[in-house]
Each structure stands twice: as structure tokens, then as C-alpha cells.
Amino acid sequence: MIYCCMMLILQNDSVNMVAPQLAAVFTKLQTLSTSDYASVVSMNIFVALLCACIVIGHLLEENRWMNESITALIIGVFTGVIILLTSGGKSSHLLVFSEDLFFIYLLPPIIFNAGFQVKKKQFFRNFITIMLFGAVFPTTSWRQYTCWSQLNLLMYVFVLPRLIFLVVTGVINFFKEMDIGSLDIGDFLAIGAIFAATDSVCTLQVLNQDETPLLYSLVFGEGVVNDATSVVLFNAIQSFDLVNTSPRILLEFIGSFLYLFLASTMLGVIVGLVSAYIIKKLYFGRHSTDREFALMMLMAYLSYIMAELFYLSGILTVFFCGIVMSHYTWHNVTESSRVTTKHAFATLSFVAETFLFLYVGMDALDMEKWRFVSDSPGTSVAVSAVLMGLVMVGRAAFVFPLSFLSNLAKKSACEKISFREQIIIWWAGLMRGAVSMALAYNQFTRGGHTQLRGNAIMITSTITIVLFSTVFLGSVTKSLIPAGYAQVFGLMTKPLIRFLLPHPKPTASMLSDQSTPKSIEAPFLGSGQDSFDDSLIGVHRPNSIRALLTTPAHTVHYYWRKFDNAFMRPMFGGRGFVPFVPGSPTERSEPNLPQWQ
Amino acid sequence: MIYCCMMLILQNDSVNMVAPQLAAVFTKLQTLSTSDYASVVSMNIFVALLCACIVIGHLLEENRWMNESITALIIGVFTGVIILLTSGGKSSHLLVFSEDLFFIYLLPPIIFNAGFQVKKKQFFRNFITIMLFGAVFPTTSWRQYTCWSQLNLLMYVFVLPRLIFLVVTGVINFFKEMDIGSLDIGDFLAIGAIFAATDSVCTLQVLNQDETPLLYSLVFGEGVVNDATSVVLFNAIQSFDLVNTSPRILLEFIGSFLYLFLASTMLGVIVGLVSAYIIKKLYFGRHSTDREFALMMLMAYLSYIMAELFYLSGILTVFFCGIVMSHYTWHNVTESSRVTTKHAFATLSFVAETFLFLYVGMDALDMEKWRFVSDSPGTSVAVSAVLMGLVMVGRAAFVFPLSFLSNLAKKSACEKISFREQIIIWWAGLMRGAVSMALAYNQFTRGGHTQLRGNAIMITSTITIVLFSTVFLGSVTKSLIPAGYAQVFGLMTKPLIRFLLPHPKPTASMLSDQSTPKSIEAPFLGSGQDSFDDSLIGVHRPNSIRALLTTPAHTVHYYWRKFDNAFMRPMFGGRGFVPFVPGSPTERSEPNLPQWQ
């Protein structure tokens, strides 16, 4: 705005027309706006790079070594190099990363979208079962589930404690040998929480729902809950004084974790239900797409900041708010609102992720951090290698035993998880990404500086691991899986199809749901997903009904469906409980809405 | 995030379980986060109020005295009162208004959406004619146009210079009599530019496209160009030293204004065309809604900040970028992307406007500003009254003469603008809103303070005028127009319909385009709008072709259409030049897209 005439004045100067007072104005303006102008330049470059990432990511989509996260990371690193050379080695930043930027603008859309697009049925079934603690014992009733649903469930229960425990003990033992400066036990626990966050975003860009539906669903379900739980655990660790550990403090810690988890979930569910109720009651017969979309967006964001208000976990809250909104609210709005919300939320999440990867790429070359490390490069490499090794061991330590346990309980070979599959599950979950990065910045750059040697080493190690795991593991996985598809999955493709044949509906909805190819989580949402739910109530074959009545897990789900249909849906709307509102995309069928009276 | 365990600790305290070190942590955390927590509370209240505005605005939609802007203003004032009472008279703010907030986040979506949803045909026709200076002389060829198109055009040419001139001279004369502190001639010119900005947003919520299409189109077209030109003029005024006025500086001023206008327009057009080209070339056959939407959004924002980079007017740039994007880019994307972009841009604009009105309502009670005014309440009232009077006189001084001139050139009575209509045109354009407010903050609160008496008086006067004109004039207009509809428009409804009957297409498209009732500018965009364009090329009746060849204005438009069809559309896409991509909202028809290879 305020520079608008400076250019002109400069041009006038060149044609020798400038009056003395104009020159004075120019000087004044220039002094005032140098720093502003620099930030305008930075913003321009950053937005242009974001556009470039999207375009190049699209062009490289079929390249088997690349995906959008890797593209953004590499573009970020190249830009960092250029800035570093231009600025004479001073800085590789365009924007200074602030935790606020991440937690206020970038994280909420990513997590909300994950909740909004998750396959609710699988998620809820596992969730309710976990709540009832019936999940721990694999019984014969499990045969009613698909393999991956069971594995998923087991992972929810065991993943985090084990992984964190392994990483933390390993880190403590290793780092005592090395000289990496002042890290206390809180830092070690935080490292455990940081590296527990599997990068669901990057993993899903590497895997493909249609070719490997099992892996895709498994890693996605694990990733989302993993992310959320990591953040919750991380917060719990950060605010406790862990130097003087006692059983009582440990109990309090577990109690606070459970409280956070439950209260955050409840808050998200309540805000989601309120939004469904408001839209159902108020907008009936007089729809307005803009208002509906605005209300959903604002309510989702409100749930996030309300969690902050009540000292809860915003991430869990907004995740469950997304789930409830897609289960109830989404069905109460017009067709255009549905299309708009579905794609707009996915796009916001996509832009936030690209932004983050681009930033991490640039930040990787920040000199300030590397300066502390440069005098002992061996230590830094060793720390990164140790952490990466611990992540691999930690993941192996629960994937293989759990798969073994899960296989024990199964009788037919088709339900068992083959060793090849176990390796892919282990491998695909090794990537660490945006959430790890953000948590590391939060823990180790308090007050905006990385002056302490230990902190600098941890930040550089995190960057190294994120770069290595995303770029190297990501491209290897992407290139291996399609190539090795016949070998790895050929063995189980036929049994899988045979196994899925009695349940043709899920398979069909899974495969027809190709709306936005490669867009991160969009395939999870679709018209197929809820017709899916109904098969449990109406379309049961006799043997299913028998199984339903004899197995506890099915019974819980059955009663939930009954409760949902009897009380929740009539109250809050939902599929089949809201009269169809036409409102086609081009609004051809909505001409009779009441206008101004 | 960081408060997550404080609540817990508080609760533990109440059950007497707290360990000494936990209490220490609690104290430390509380000290650290008091100011953060206050801002979390503010954000919660603000987002909750935004939701309330949307819901209450919807409920009061049929109330003839209210609209969404007024609702937001009133809710803002009430909240301001409550905060004032709670804080003991210290402050009525929740957020401190920063110019950046407005110019970086709120203004771009509003203006981009205005360009994206404008009825391009009318706008371009007038724009090209203005360029050729053939427009100034009303000839018989004008009978080919509708009445309002001509009036619109005349307004574009004469509105701003006249209004600004009138306001400025009036202000200078009046204020010299009063004692209002230190305002220089730049301030007076800025006041002229500030009060030249008709509030298109509020006006359009009051008028209704179906009942009063003439007024609606007229005020919208005027408002948008008015807003943009106000900002450009305002910037030109701000950066020139106007104390020592000479003919040469005046010439430079006019030159800089023209340069700004043309260069900004070109930049917007270029960025828009680049976006169209990229999406047409790259996404052909391999569409992804998320990427398309992300790219359009980022490119639009890029055009805005690139204008800042080149010292141009971001507002004009993003406005023309929106026009080009809706003319070319929008046609190159899938059906779902079209629905999503159309509604998502409208929603972002809607939320930004609601935010702004809510803020203005709260800010109206800010004590700091009123303190300077309170010792001489007469002066403030007088200044507000004088400014409001000048706005009224200034508007009357061009609406009535221009209408008279326009009527002189017309032979049939049906084309003439009746006196009643002239009054409504005058009245409906009196409202001042968001843009006036933002410009006033920019001019008179530099450095964030309103310590100077003159500045404080100007800010309070602007608030008074915005509140008065929006709430009072807005509700009066809204209540009068439907009530007086029969009287005011009864006289011309029949002739208008008779006049429009030979051109049934525009009328049909205008009336069927009721997609999102009351959503601010959405009715401007629709499938009808471009089929509208085609009537000029293919479906002409013989007399139209004759008229087309004999009249210069039509010829310009004809050659533009030819050029557009021959060169632009094959290159950049556009309606009819892109193979139809199915991709229906629910993606039923998009199952054959190439997936992972």
C-alpha cells in the first residue's frame, strides 16, 4: 500500500523530473519501510514457492521417487542454499518460524481435516472397543473383522507407551556416554514423544489406497491417533517436573494424561454436536451455502481454541470435532456445501502441509544451529544415527510381537499378517515429519534461540531425521512398493479378495472412492462411507446376526447404531435423517428458495 | 498447548494432592502465560461472537430493519459495553486493530471475491468503452444498452473526482472555522478519499437483485470500482507532499494515479492469465480439486502481494485477477472445483466482512479516542454532521445532473431514469463502511495512537458516520424499499419488462441465479452469466447485427469477443474451449482417472 508511489518517484528521477520535496518524501518513506519491504519480498517468494511446489508436485506425481512432501522439502533446501549464498552465509530463512504460526494457523486445519475425512466406522468401532477394555483379548469374535481392523486396534493400545519407553531408555543410556550438553530427564521423555509421531501425511502420499488398502488404512489410522497422542503426552511431559520422580507423580502423570484425553474428546464431540444442532434447526428450508460453510469453519476453530481455554489438548478436540461434524453436520447442509466443505478443508490442510515441508527444507540450512554442531560433527551424526536406530528398533519391537499375537488368535491363513506385510508396516511407519518437527522446535527453541549446545544438537538431529526419513525412506518405499507389489502382495491378493467377497460393499466403496487422486486424505470421505454403516443394521445375513448377538464387540457397535438412530440422528441430523435438499453445484435445482419477503 | 496441565494441577490442589514441586511449576507457568492466556480468551470470545453474528443474522434475515452488517455492528457495540463495564472503563477492545490485519488478511478476500463474482459482461463493456473515450457522449447507439449500464458508465467517469472535490473543499472551508487541531491539506484530501468509498457490502445486503435489479447492479458496480479507486487515490495522496502545491505536482499526481491504475490492472490480468494457462496445460486430463483450488487461492494472493512488491495497488490487482480468473481459470477446472471455489471465496469474503463490522462495533466505544472529544462534544457532533452533510450533498451533486444528462439523450420514456429512482440511487450510495473505516485508521492512527486531538476527532467522526449510515440509513432503506416498492418501482416495472422482453436471456439468467439467497455477491456468478455472452456472437437477431455494425461501443465489444474467441480462449481456456470434465460433486463420474502407475 504505502510503497505505491515510490516506484513512480524512482522512475521520475530517471527522467529527471523529480522535485526536491519529492526526493525528501522518498527518503522518508524508504527509511520507514525498509523492514516492511523486506517482509513483502519474503512473502512473495514464499507464496511463489508454494505455487511452485504444487505445480512441480503435480508434474512429478508419476515419478516413482518423488511426492509432494519430498518436492517441498527439496525446493526448500534449494531456496535455503540460494538465500544463504545471497545473504553471505548469514541466514537461510525467509520467515522466522514461530511456534504460534504452527499451532494457531497450520496445525488446526491439518488435524481437523484428518478427523473430517477419517473412515468413521473403523475408527469408532475400535474406539468404543478400546473404551470397554474388551479389546485386549483377541477372541474368535475377531474373525468378524477384517485383519487390519484388529491390528489397528492393537496398535492403538500398545504403540505409544512401548515406543516412547524404548526410545527414552535408549536415549538416556546412549547420551550419557556422549557429551551433548545439558539435557534433563524431561528432555529425554520429550524426545520419546517427539519421535513417536509417525508422519501420516507423508506416508499416505507414498502408499496408495487402491493398491494397498490394508496398509493405507492401517498407517493412516495409526498415524492420526499417534500424532494426537504424541502431542498430548508431550504437553503432559513438558509441564511436569520430572527430576524428582516418585510413584505418586507417575500416578498423577497417568491421571492427567487420561483426563486430558477424555476431556478433550468430550469437548470436541460437544462442539461438533452443537454445530450439527444449530445447522439442522436454523437452516432448515432456508439454506445458504456461505453461511453453512462459514459456521462449520468457525465452530471447528472455536473447538480448537476452546480447548486451549480449558487447558486441554486442542489437537484431540479438533480431531473429534471433525469426526462428529462429518458424521452429523455434514449431512445437514446442501449438496454444494458438502462439496465445498469437503474440498476446502482438504485444500487448507494440503496448503498447510506444503507450507510446513517447505519451511523445514529452508530451515535445514540455518547456520545458527549448525554452528554449535560444526566443531564436533561426529557427535551430531552419532546422535542422529542413534535416534534413527532407536526409532527403527522401537517400531520393530511392537510391530512384530503384536502381529505374532494377532496371528495366534486367527485360524484361517487368509486373516494372518504375513511376514512381508509386517515388514512393510514397520517400514512405512518409520517416516517422521511435520509434527515431530514442530514439537522439537517447541521443546528445544524456547525463547526463539538455540544457544545451548544440547538444544542445537537435538534440533539439527531432528531435521536430519525428518529429511532422511522423508526423502530417503519415502522415495524408497514409493519405488519399492509398486515394483515389489506382485511379490509382496501377490501372495495375499487372492485370499484377500476371497475374504472380502462376502462383504462386497466395503470393497466397492473403497475402490470407487477415487475422487481426488493423490490428494492426501480425501479418499476417506465419500458417499460410500455411510451406506457402509447401514449394512450393519438392515442388510444382515442370518449368520451375521447370530455372530452379532454372541460377540461383545459387535454388540457394542450394534447398540451404538441403535442409539445413534433412535436418539442422536433425529436430534442432530445425519444420513437419512435430513430431508434431501437439492442445491446441485450449479444451483439448477434450487430456484424456489424463499427470497426477501 | 502449554496450559494443558495447569487445569489439572489446579484440580489436584483442591483435592489436596499437590506436591510442592508441582506448585512451583504452576506458579512458573502462570507467570509465563498470563498475557498468552488473555489473548486466548479474547480469541475465544471473538470467534464465538462471529458465530453468533452468522446465526443471528440468519434468524433476522426476514426482519426488515436488520441485516448482517447491522447485526455485527450491534453485537460489537454490546460486547464493547460489556467489556467496558468489566474492565472498569479501561478498554472496549478484544483485539488491537492493526492495519496489517486488515490489509493482509481481511481486504484481499473481500476484493478478490468482488472481482470473482462480478457480472463480467457489463463490467468489461463499460471498461473498454471508457478506455476509448467514446463513452462520454451519449448517442443514439446507447439505446442498445439497458438504462443502468449507461448510468453506471457515467458514474465511473465522474463519481470520484467530483465527490472528492466537493468533500475536500467543503471540509477545508468548514474546519477552518472550527478548532479541531492540526490537520494539513493531505489530511483533507485523505478525508475526501475516505468518504468517497461507498459501502458496496452493506448496500448489497439491503438491496435485492430480484426485486430491484437495476439498483443492485448499479450500486454494486459503482461500489467496487469506487472502493478500489478510493484506495488508489488515498495512497497517491498519502505519499505526496501536498503543502506546496504547484501545477507540476498536480500533473505528476494525475500521472501517478493513471500509472497506478493501469499497471495494477495489467499485473492482475497477467497473474490471472498465468493461473489459467498453468491449470489448462498441466491439469489436463488429470484433475485434482484440492490442487486446483489451492493454486487459484495462492495465485490470487500472490497477485495481491506482488502489487505491493512493485509499489502498485494490491486492491485493483486482486480485483482484476478475480475477474480474469472467473473468465478463464474457473472454466478450466472440474465441476467440484468450480463449486468449491465459488462458495469458498464467497465465504472467506463473508467472514472477513463480518469480522470487520464486529470490530468496528467494538471499537466505537474505545475510551482513548472519545477522551479527546469529551471536553468539546459539540465539535465532534458538528464535524460528524458536516461530513455526513457533505457526503449527501456530494452524492446529490453528481447523481441528479448525470441522470438529467442521461435522460436528455434518450427518446423513449422507458429508458429515462425517474426522479424516484434517482433518489434511491442517491440514498443507497450514502452508506459508508469497512473500507472508509480501514482508510481512516490508516490515515489517523499512525504508530497505533490517537493522541493528537485532530486525529482523535476524525476517527470518532468516521466511526459515527459509519455507524449512523450503516445502521440508520441501512435499516431505513431496507424497510422503505420493499414497502415502497409498489410506489417507487410500480411506475417503471411495466416499461422495464417491456424493454427487457426483446432480450429475454439476460432477464432469465438474472432471475434464475438465486443460488445462495442473501449471500453477498454470489448471485453474480452462475452458469447463466456466460451463456449471456454468447448471445452477442451467435444468436443475434438481424436488427442487432445492424446496430452492432453501426455503433462504435458494440463494435468494440464485438471485436473483443472475436479476439477472445480467436486467441485468448484457445490459449487460456474459458467457457466452451475446455473439454467438459465430469467430476460431479460426489465424484460418481470420475472413476477413470489415471492413478499411480
Side-chain angles (χ1 to χ4, degrees):
Chain A
M1 282 300 133
I2 60 168
Y3 324 112
C4 54
C5 279
M6 286 171 61
M7 195 70 166
L8 262 174
I9 297 165
L10 276 170
Q11 289 191 330
N12 288 346
D13 201 344
S14 63
V15 289
N16 203 17
M17 268 177 66
V18 68
Q21 71 267 35
L22 287 180
V25 171
F26 170 62
T27 319
K28 200 184 81 192
L29 276 175
Q30 204 181 34
T31 327
L32 276 173
S33 59
T34 308
S35 67
D36 284 347
Y37 190 71
S39 71
V40 168
V41 173
S42 306
M43 277 181 77
N44 264 290
I45 298 175
F46 210 94
V47 175
L49 286 175
L50 274 179
C51 292
C53 287
I54 294 172
V55 172
I56 295 172
H58 181 83
L59 289 176
L60 295 175
E61 195 174 337
E62 293 179 9
N63 181 312
R64 60 163 50 171
W65 298 93
M66 300 292 285
N67 64 46
E68 248 144 12
S69 306
I70 299 177
T71 312
L73 271 175
I74 291 174
I75 291 178
V77 170
F78 271 106
T79 319
V81 170
I82 293 167
I83 297 169
L84 207 61
L85 294 176
T86 319
S87 71
K90 264 195 289 182
S91 142
S92 71
H93 283 277
L94 275 177
L95 305 166
V96 175
F97 190 88
S98 91
E99 207 189 288
D100 284 352
L101 178 77
F102 182 75
F103 283 111
I104 293 179
Y105 298 112
L106 300 179
L107 198 57
I110 296 177
I111 304 289
F112 175 77
N113 186 55
F116 198 73
Q117 319 265 8
V118 78
K119 272 193 187 292
K120 295 188 295 292
K121 194 192 172 195
Q122 269 75 32
F123 191 85
F124 272 125
R125 183 190 272 166
N126 290 331
F127 190 74
I128 291 162
T129 325
I130 288 167
M131 291 290 132
L132 291 177
F133 294 94
V136 189
F137 316 103
T139 65
T140 44
S141 74
W142 283 99
R143 288 168 64 192
Q144 302 298 324
Y145 294 132
T146 55
C147 303
W148 64 264
S149 145
Q150 184 178 1
L151 222 199
N152 223 352
L153 167 72
L154 288 169
M155 281 187 169
Y156 292 156
V157 180
F158 291 112
V159 169
L160 278 165
R162 289 195 83 131
L163 188 55
I164 288 171
F165 179 75
L166 270 167
V167 171
V168 169
T169 47
V171 164
I172 291 173
N173 289 333
F174 271 96
F175 288 178
K176 275 185 181 158
E177 311 293 310
M178 297 184 213
D179 168 37
I180 53 144
S182 58
L183 296 176
D184 57 21
I185 190 167
D187 285 332
F188 289 116
L189 280 175
I191 292 168
I194 288 168
F195 291 105
T198 296
D199 182 19
S200 54
V201 174
C202 189
T203 311
L204 292 185
Q205 289 191 332
V206 167
L207 297 173
N208 179 3
Q209 195 182 22
D210 303 316
E211 289 172 5
T212 55
L214 186 145
L215 287 182
Y216 189 80
S217 310
L218 195 153
V219 176
F220 176 77
E222 185 203 342
V224 165
V225 179
N226 222 336
D227 276 3
T229 325
S230 279
V231 176
V232 172
L233 262 184
F234 178 78
N235 283 321
I237 290 166
Q238 261 202 338
S239 51
F240 270 79
D241 182 1
L242 293 154
V243 180
N244 311 310
T245 324
S246 72
R248 186 166 158 188
I249 290 185
L250 202 73
L251 260 179
E252 276 173 24
F253 181 82
I254 292 166
S256 82
F257 179 78
L258 286 178
Y259 166 80
L260 269 184
F261 205 98
L262 292 178
S264 304
T265 306
M266 280 312 296
L267 181 64
V269 169
I270 289 168
V271 174
L273 288 179
V274 168
S275 80
Y277 188 78
I278 288 177
I279 287 181
K280 182 160 183 277
K281 282 294 162 194
L282 294 185
Y283 287 72
F284 184 74
R286 205 154 49 100
H287 285 271
S288 152
T289 295
D290 297 347
R291 282 213 195 100
E292 286 167 348
F293 177 37
L295 205 59
M296 280 174 82
M297 196 165 58
L298 289 171
M299 293 283 283
Y301 197 71
L302 187 64
S303 80
Y304 184 77
I305 54 174
M306 268 176 82
E308 299 287 298
L309 189 71
F310 296 134
Y311 308 100
L312 299 172
S313 156
I315 282 209
L316 266 182
T317 305
V318 82
F319 178 73
F320 278 95
C321 185
I323 289 179
V324 172
M325 277 199 178
S326 73
H327 191 64
Y328 297 109
T329 320
W330 195 68
H331 293 283
N332 297 346
V333 298
T334 56
E335 186 67 24
S336 341
S337 298
R338 281 177 217 173
V339 177
T340 307
T341 47
K342 176 179 159 182
H343 290 296
F345 291 140
T347 306
L348 290 178
S349 165
F350 169 64
V351 172
E353 284 151 12
T354 312
F355 187 99
L356 211 63
F357 279 108
L358 190 58
Y359 182 83
V360 169
M362 278 183 205
D363 199 62
L365 293 168
D366 185 42
M367 280 300 105
E368 199 195 335
K369 288 172 204 120
W370 292 104
R371 204 181 308 133
F372 286 93
V373 184
S374 57
D375 49 334
S376 55
T379 313
S380 178
V381 171
V383 169
S384 306
V386 165
L387 283 174
M388 196 66 224
L390 282 173
V391 166
M392 289 175 145
V393 171
R395 199 165 168 82
F398 75 92
V399 167
F400 297 109
L402 282 187
S403 304
F404 178 76
L405 274 180
S406 165
N407 283 346
L408 267 192
K410 286 169 192 162
K411 278 156 195 166
S412 64
C414 69
E415 284 177 11
K416 297 197 178 186
I417 300 155
S418 73
F419 186 63
R420 282 167 193 277
E421 275 185 285
Q422 292 175 23
I423 288 180
I424 291 188
I425 291 167
W426 169 73
W427 180 266
L430 286 178
M431 280 175 269
R432 296 294 174 270
V435 173
S436 291
M437 212 57 233
L439 292 178
Y441 277 112
N442 187 341
Q443 174 76 10
F444 297 112
T445 60
R446 291 216 194 100
H449 58 82
T450 48
Q451 302 300 330
L452 288 171
R453 191 179 142 76
N455 288 356
I457 288 178
M458 288 320 300
I459 290 278
T460 51
S461 302
T462 311
I463 292 172
T464 312
I465 288 173
V466 168
L467 282 178
F468 172 79
S469 68
T470 305
V471 176
F472 177 72
L473 293 184
S475 52
V476 166
T477 312
K478 191 173 168 183
S479 68
L480 275 186
I481 287 185
Y485 184 67
Q487 298 164 286
V488 177
F489 290 95
L491 289 172
M492 67 166 292
T493 307
K494 269 191 199 164
L496 237 192
I497 289 171
R498 211 181 307 136
F499 173 71
L500 288 171
L501 268 182
H503 306 275
K505 256 188 154 174
T507 325
S509 80
M510 222 176 263
L511 292 172
S512 69
D513 224 1
Q514 307 179 358
S515 61
T516 45
K518 305 287 146 47
S519 87
I520 298 147
E521 290 125 348
F524 274 90
L525 194 79
S527 50
Q529 133 190 0
D530 282 289
S531 61
F532 196 56
D533 290 349
D534 296 338
S535 64
L536 259 184
I537 306 149
V539 214
H540 269 298
R541 279 165 304 286
N543 65 332
S544 300
I545 290 172
R546 224 183 310 124
L548 193 84
L549 296 172
T550 52
T551 58
H554 254 159
T555 313
V556 168
H557 194 248
Y558 172 75
Y559 281 117
W560 159 249
R561 304 283 347 157
K562 269 192 99 165
F563 176 70
D564 195 22
N565 285 315
F567 298 102
M568 300 297 276
R569 290 191 175 187
M571 179 92 169
F572 298 110
R575 190 166 176 282
F577 281 81
V578 176
F580 180 69
V581 182
S584 88
T586 40
E587 262 81 26
R588 265 171 252 115
S589 38
E590 215 180 13
N592 300 322
L593 281 181
Q595 291 279 316
W596 226 256
Q597 261 103 41
Chain B
M1 280 300 132
I2 60 167
Y3 323 115
C4 56
C5 279
M6 286 171 62
M7 195 70 166
L8 263 173
I9 296 164
L10 276 170
Q11 290 190 327
N12 287 346
D13 202 345
S14 63
V15 290
N16 204 14
M17 268 177 68
V18 67
Q21 69 265 39
L22 287 181
V25 172
F26 170 63
T27 319
K28 200 183 81 194
L29 276 174
Q30 203 181 36
T31 327
L32 277 173
S33 60
T34 308
S35 65
D36 285 347
Y37 190 70
S39 70
V40 168
V41 173
S42 305
M43 279 181 75
N44 264 290
I45 298 176
F46 211 93
V47 175
L49 285 176
L50 274 178
C51 293
C53 286
I54 294 172
V55 171
I56 295 172
H58 180 83
L59 289 176
L60 294 177
E61 196 174 334
E62 293 180 9
N63 181 312
R64 61 160 50 169
W65 297 93
M66 300 295 282
N67 64 43
E68 249 145 11
S69 305
I70 300 176
T71 311
L73 271 175
I74 291 174
I75 291 178
V77 170
F78 270 106
T79 319
V81 170
I82 292 167
I83 297 168
L84 207 61
L85 294 176
T86 318
S87 71
K90 264 195 288 181
S91 143
S92 72
H93 284 276
L94 275 177
L95 306 165
V96 175
F97 190 88
S98 92
E99 208 189 288
D100 284 352
L101 178 77
F102 182 75
F103 282 110
I104 293 179
Y105 299 111
L106 300 180
L107 198 57
I110 296 178
I111 304 291
F112 175 77
N113 187 55
F116 198 73
Q117 320 264 8
V118 78
K119 273 194 186 290
K120 294 186 297 291
K121 196 192 172 195
Q122 270 74 32
F123 190 85
F124 273 124
R125 184 190 272 165
N126 291 331
F127 190 73
I128 291 163
T129 325
I130 289 168
M131 293 288 132
L132 291 179
F133 293 95
V136 189
F137 317 102
T139 64
T140 45
S141 75
W142 282 100
R143 289 168 63 193
Q144 301 299 322
Y145 295 132
T146 54
C147 304
W148 64 265
S149 146
Q150 185 179 0
L151 221 198
N152 223 354
L153 167 73
L154 289 170
M155 280 187 172
Y156 291 155
V157 180
F158 291 113
V159 169
L160 278 165
R162 287 198 84 129
L163 187 55
I164 288 170
F165 179 75
L166 270 167
V167 170
V168 168
T169 47
V171 162
I172 291 174
N173 289 333
F174 270 95
F175 287 179
K176 275 184 181 157
E177 309 295 311
M178 297 185 213
D179 168 36
I180 56 146
S182 57
L183 296 176
D184 57 22
I185 191 168
D187 285 333
F188 287 115
L189 280 174
I191 291 168
I194 287 168
F195 289 106
T198 296
D199 181 20
S200 53
V201 174
C202 189
T203 312
L204 292 185
Q205 290 191 334
V206 166
L207 297 174
N208 180 4
Q209 196 182 20
D210 302 316
E211 288 172 6
T212 57
L214 187 145
L215 287 182
Y216 189 80
S217 310
L218 196 153
V219 177
F220 177 77
E222 187 203 340
V224 165
V225 178
N226 221 337
D227 276 2
T229 325
S230 280
V231 175
V232 172
L233 262 185
F234 178 78
N235 283 322
I237 289 166
Q238 261 201 336
S239 51
F240 270 80
D241 183 359
L242 291 156
V243 180
N244 311 311
T245 324
S246 74
R248 187 164 158 189
I249 290 187
L250 202 72
L251 261 178
E252 275 172 24
F253 182 81
I254 292 166
S256 83
F257 179 79
L258 287 178
Y259 165 79
L260 270 184
F261 205 99
L262 292 178
S264 304
T265 305
M266 282 311 297
L267 182 65
V269 169
I270 289 167
V271 174
L273 288 178
V274 168
S275 81
Y277 188 79
I278 288 177
I279 287 182
K280 181 159 182 278
K281 283 293 162 195
L282 295 185
Y283 287 72
F284 184 74
R286 207 154 50 100
H287 285 271
S288 152
T289 297
D290 297 347
R291 281 210 196 101
E292 285 166 349
F293 176 37
L295 204 60
M296 282 175 80
M297 195 165 58
L298 289 172
M299 293 283 283
Y301 197 71
L302 187 63
S303 80
Y304 183 78
I305 54 173
M306 268 177 82
E308 299 286 297
L309 189 70
F310 297 133
Y311 307 100
L312 299 172
S313 156
I315 282 210
L316 265 182
T317 306
V318 82
F319 180 73
F320 278 95
C321 185
I323 288 180
V324 172
M325 276 198 179
S326 75
H327 192 65
Y328 297 109
T329 320
W330 195 69
H331 293 282
N332 298 347
V333 299
T334 56
E335 184 67 23
S336 341
S337 297
R338 281 178 216 172
V339 177
T340 307
T341 49
K342 177 180 160 185
H343 290 297
F345 290 141
T347 305
L348 290 178
S349 166
F350 168 64
V351 171
E353 284 151 12
T354 310
F355 187 100
L356 211 63
F357 279 108
L358 190 58
Y359 182 82
V360 170
M362 277 184 206
D363 199 62
L365 292 169
D366 185 42
M367 280 300 106
E368 200 196 336
K369 288 170 204 122
W370 292 104
R371 205 182 307 130
F372 287 93
V373 184
S374 58
D375 47 333
S376 54
T379 312
S380 177
V381 171
V383 169
S384 306
V386 165
L387 284 174
M388 197 66 224
L390 283 172
V391 166
M392 288 174 145
V393 171
R395 199 166 168 82
F398 75 91
V399 167
F400 297 109
L402 282 187
S403 305
F404 179 74
L405 274 179
S406 165
N407 282 347
L408 267 190
K410 284 170 194 163
K411 278 156 196 164
S412 64
C414 71
E415 284 177 10
K416 298 198 178 187
I417 299 155
S418 73
F419 187 63
R420 284 167 192 276
E421 277 184 283
Q422 292 174 22
I423 289 180
I424 291 190
I425 291 167
W426 168 73
W427 181 266
L430 286 179
M431 280 175 267
R432 297 293 173 271
V435 173
S436 292
M437 211 58 233
L439 293 178
Y441 277 111
N442 187 340
Q443 175 75 10
F444 298 112
T445 58
R446 291 214 194 102
H449 57 82
T450 47
Q451 301 299 329
L452 289 171
R453 192 179 140 75
N455 289 356
I457 288 178
M458 288 319 300
I459 290 278
T460 50
S461 302
T462 311
I463 292 173
T464 312
I465 287 172
V466 169
L467 282 178
F468 172 79
S469 67
T470 306
V471 176
F472 177 70
L473 294 184
S475 52
V476 166
T477 311
K478 191 174 169 182
S479 70
L480 275 185
I481 288 185
Y485 183 65
Q487 297 164 285
V488 178
F489 289 96
L491 288 171
M492 68 165 291
T493 305
K494 269 191 199 164
L496 236 190
I497 289 172
R498 214 183 305 135
F499 174 69
L500 287 172
L501 267 182
H503 307 272
K505 258 188 155 178
T507 327
S509 82
M510 222 177 264
L511 292 172
S512 69
D513 226 2
Q514 308 179 359
S515 60
T516 45
K518 306 286 145 47
S519 86
I520 298 147
E521 289 124 348
F524 274 89
L525 195 80
S527 49
Q529 130 190 3
D530 283 289
S531 61
F532 196 54
D533 291 348
D534 295 340
S535 64
L536 261 185
I537 306 148
V539 216
H540 269 297
R541 278 165 307 284
N543 64 333
S544 299
I545 289 171
R546 224 183 309 124
L548 194 85
L549 297 171
T550 52
T551 57
H554 253 159
T555 313
V556 168
H557 193 248
Y558 173 75
Y559 282 116
W560 159 248
R561 305 282 348 155
K562 269 191 102 165
F563 175 71
D564 195 24
N565 285 316
F567 298 101
M568 300 296 277
R569 290 191 177 189
M571 181 90 168
F572 298 110
R575 193 169 172 281
F577 281 80
V578 175
F580 179 68
V581 182
S584 88
T586 41
E587 261 80 27
R588 264 172 253 113
S589 37
E590 214 179 16
N592 301 322
L593 282 181
Q595 291 281 315
W596 225 258
Q597 262 104 40

